[in-house]
Amino acid sequence: MSNMRTPFIAGNWKMNKTVREAEEFAEAFKKLYKDTEVKTAICAPYIHLATLKRIFAGTSIGVGAENAHYEDAGAYTGEVSVAMLEDLGIDYCIIGHSERRQYFAETDETVNKKLHRLFQGPIVPILCVGENLEQREAGREKEVVEKQVRADLAGLTAEQVKKLVIAYEPVWAIGTGKTASPAQANEMCGHIRQVIENVFGEEAADEVTIQYGGSMKPANATELMNMEEIDGGLIGGASLQPEDFMKVIDF
Ligand code: PGA
């Protein structure tokens, strides 16, 4: 059965760009952008979100944050809440990126709380999972990713999972120029879909969007996107220049 899922390409700027640079990107990208059946978004540092919303208003280009706190307000110096992002009309929020798990003490438990909070409102979560090199070399990658998926999604409903985006991002492929082969990426995305089916049922598995991320760029986007289980991409380095990012969307 061929799938009905809409391809979804999202940029992840990480900690890059000044406000001026973000504005320049957005103006240039808006000119290049052609509305196709591929869904598109840029996830950016908080200080750029209002700018991107303003410049992309009236287009179908979505805007996403890279993290959020699960409490609505309170004594959490340096944090930004889901409630604040909702107020700004933000469309997506990356949760559990491996860089946050590695450097900022993000755990499956905090990821799970953030997903539960996001599903109280309209922002679509982009949940990142993926194994590191040591785990892959030990042949444990499927077990590791399955454990993350089960823990991160604990207590969610099948209806919520249908709206979710999961990005499979092998840590060894992020920012390294080393892409997972299309077969490796497809195999793991299929495994994630099987886990979703086992826990949440067939409909949720059919509808959940599963992206690949890790050195995806114009040169390899076509072959990755042609794989049956890969519905999209989460694009770091190749989302920083409008021309590169547009080429990935045009895969
Ligand atoms: P990369 O980053 O495309 O630069 O490897 C992807 C990501 O971490 O989301």
Side-chain angles (χ1 to χ4, degrees):
M1 192 181 84
S2 74
N3 79 62
M4 303 292 289
R5 296 178 294 271
T6 308
F8 177 38
I9 304 286
N12 173 15
W13 280 359
K14 309 191 178 185
M15 194 173 72
N16 286 294
K17 296 192 188 294
T18 62
V19 170
R20 174 78 179 273
E21 288 164 349
E23 257 165 8
E24 283 170 4
F25 176 105
E27 295 291 1
F29 183 66
K30 195 165 96 168
K31 288 201 189 95
L32 284 178
Y33 182 73
K34 296 174 292 313
D35 203 354
T36 62
E37 65 261 39
V38 178
K39 266 195 289 185
T40 304
I42 301 274
C43 301
Y46 298 126
I47 58 160
H48 302 323
L49 297 180
T51 306
L52 294 180
K53 281 302 290 184
R54 172 174 53 79
I55 297 174
F56 293 153
T59 75
S60 57
I61 307 163
V63 176
E66 299 176 8
N67 181 37
H69 200 284
Y70 47 85
E71 295 289 350
D72 285 351
Y76 298 101
T77 302
E79 290 293 297
V80 169
S81 71
V82 172
M84 294 169 181
L85 298 174
E86 287 170 346
D87 179 57
L88 205 55
I90 293 307
D91 308 291
Y92 300 94
C93 186
I94 296 174
I95 295 295
H97 191 281
S98 61
E99 287 148 17
R100 297 216 61 85
R101 294 179 192 254
Q102 196 176 345
Y103 308 127
F104 303 101
E106 185 85 85
T107 63
D108 289 326
E109 192 185 341
T110 54
V111 164
N112 182 251
K113 285 185 178 168
K114 292 173 181 192
L115 293 178
H116 276 275
R117 175 59 188 85
L118 280 161
F119 277 120
Q120 287 172 25
I123 298 176
V124 175
I126 302 174
L127 166 67
C128 300
V129 295
E131 82 287 357
N132 63 31
L133 187 59
E134 195 190 326
Q135 291 161 336
R136 180 161 281 262
E137 283 177 346
R140 294 181 49 226
E141 66 274 10
K142 284 195 176 157
E143 170 203 329
V144 167
V145 170
E146 173 159 0
K147 194 159 163 273
Q148 284 178 329
V149 169
R150 286 177 179 270
D152 295 348
L153 303 186
L156 294 179
T157 66
E159 287 309 308
Q160 290 170 330
V161 172
K162 284 180 189 173
K163 296 185 208 122
L164 179 67
V165 179
I166 300 177
Y168 166 54
E169 299 208 311
V171 177
W172 48 271
I174 296 176
T176 56
K178 221 180 147 196
T179 319
S181 71
Q184 281 173 325
N186 191 60
E187 190 182 356
M188 186 64 88
C189 292
H191 178 60
I192 293 170
R193 202 175 301 285
Q194 185 60 55
V195 173
I196 297 294
E197 181 172 337
N198 296 345
V199 182
F200 298 98
E202 201 179 326
E203 269 183 42
D206 275 348
E207 290 184 38
V208 65
T209 300
I210 305 183
Q211 298 175 321
Y212 167 76
S215 301
M216 190 162 160
K217 49 185 181 271
N220 58 27
T222 311
E223 50 172 2
L224 286 162
M225 289 302 295
N226 281 342
M227 303 307 286
E228 171 70 21
E229 298 292 347
I230 302 177
D231 306 323
L234 186 57
I235 319 297
S239 72
L240 293 171
Q241 299 300 329
E243 295 77 13
D244 287 346
F245 190 51
M246 196 57 227
K247 280 186 201 152
V248 176
I249 294 164
D250 271 343
F251 69 87

